[in-house]
């Protein structure tokens, strides 16, 4: 919309016994209906892009860039699911 988008193939993740664990947190609508469980800690970290949401990974194996050279911005928040809802940890 308006020339901007979200990279749908990069996801947030759970934080638990190991980093980048389950659950995967999509930054777009999905058909996943599983409820979040109290005590789950996870990240929300969408990548917003100007232009195409297609991306490439640099030779360092970590850095991503948009395939069309458009600008991108990423931010991250960590959340904890509580009995009352959620707590933002960042």
């Amino acid at each position: 919309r308006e020339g901007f988008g979200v990279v749908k193939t990069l996801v947030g993740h759970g934080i638990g016994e190991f980093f980048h664990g389950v659950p995967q947190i999509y930054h777009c609508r999905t058909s996943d209906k599983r409820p979040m469980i109290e005590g789950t800690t996870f990240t929300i970290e969408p990548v917003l892009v100007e232009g195409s949401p297609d991306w490439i990974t640099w030779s360092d194996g970590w850095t991503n860039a948009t395939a069309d050279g458009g600008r991108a911005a990423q931010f991250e928040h960590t959340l904890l699911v509580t009995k009352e809802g959620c707590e933002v940890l960042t």
Side-chain angles (χ1 to χ4, degrees):
R1 179 174 150 182
E2 306 296 328
F4 297 93
V6 174
V7 177
K8 295 179 181 179
T9 54
L10 297 174
V11 297
H13 53 83
I15 299 175
E17 293 181 22
F18 59 95
F19 194 56
H20 290 147
V22 294
Q24 289 189 329
I25 307 298
Y26 290 89
H27 303 112
C28 57
R29 189 173 293 193
T30 71
S31 60
D32 190 344
K33 303 269 190 245
R34 292 176 289 179
M36 297 299 277
I37 298 169
E38 183 180 350
T40 301
T41 304
F42 64 96
T43 67
I44 296 175
E45 49 184 301
V47 178
L48 310 175
V49 295
E50 171 188 64
S52 172
D54 297 329
W55 55 277
I56 57 170
T57 302
W58 289 4
S59 61
D60 65 8
W62 181 256
T63 306
N64 295 329
T66 57
D68 65 1
R71 292 183 223 173
Q74 187 265 343
F75 61 93
E76 181 172 337
H77 283 292
T78 303
L79 295 98
L80 168 65
V81 179
T82 66
K83 185 175 183 178
E84 295 78 30
C86 75
E87 179 180 345
V88 179
L89 302 177
T90 51

